[in-house]
Amino acid sequence: MPHIIIEHSEDLPVLPQVLVEKIHNAAFQSNLFDLETIKTRAISYQQYLLGAGGSGFIHIAVHILAGRSIEQKQMLSEQLLECLKTYCRASDSLSVNIYDIEHEIYRKN
């Protein structure tokens, strides 16, 4: 845990694999997770519409087991957003959201 899903327009100013690595490392640097538990992946979109002036978009969804404080989630989302800003254009739409996964219903093999 966590599962980090990066959804993005196909015309990124950075290679998707580089973005995956940078976000993966930023999540580790939050000191909330062990490196071997972080799972990061990216999904590229060819068809999308953005508001006026948008060049592209990146949205990061972070799914973590419930139990972290609001302050920890805020710190994580801010850290990931700052990482995105480093590698993206000012005209890109950037967003991050943290989702809790309930222990009682989460299953993995």
Side-chain angles (χ1 to χ4, degrees):
M1 203 50 62
H3 289 275
I4 303 171
I5 304 162
I6 305 167
E7 296 179 282
H8 63 86
S9 53
E10 69 176 350
D11 63 337
L12 291 181
V14 60
L15 292 173
Q17 184 58 38
V18 171
L19 185 61
V20 166
E21 292 168 6
K22 297 299 184 185
I23 292 299
H24 193 90
N25 288 332
F28 174 65
Q29 291 170 3
S30 73
N31 294 317
L32 295 175
F33 316 104
D34 294 327
L35 186 59
E36 62 273 3
T37 66
I38 303 170
K39 298 157 189 80
T40 308
R41 54 197 177 267
I43 303 168
S44 176
Y45 290 89
Q46 295 177 340
Q47 293 81 29
Y48 57 90
L49 293 174
L50 300 174
S55 296
F57 75 91
I58 302 174
H59 173 71
I60 298 178
V62 182
H63 300 270
I64 62 174
L65 288 174
R68 307 281 183 191
S69 70
I70 292 293
E71 292 79 15
Q72 289 173 313
K73 294 176 200 177
Q74 288 172 328
M75 180 271 298
L76 177 60
S77 63
E78 189 61 37
Q79 201 163 335
L80 296 179
L81 184 61
E82 288 304 313
C83 181
L84 284 180
K85 289 179 184 177
T86 302
Y87 300 100
C88 297
R89 303 166 289 228
S91 59
D92 288 329
S93 175
L94 308 176
S95 58
V96 177
N97 197 11
I98 312 296
Y99 300 91
D100 282 334
I101 297 174
E102 298 301 324
H103 293 272
E104 298 81 10
I105 58 175
Y106 178 69
R107 300 292 182 263
K108 71 176 192 173
N109 184 0

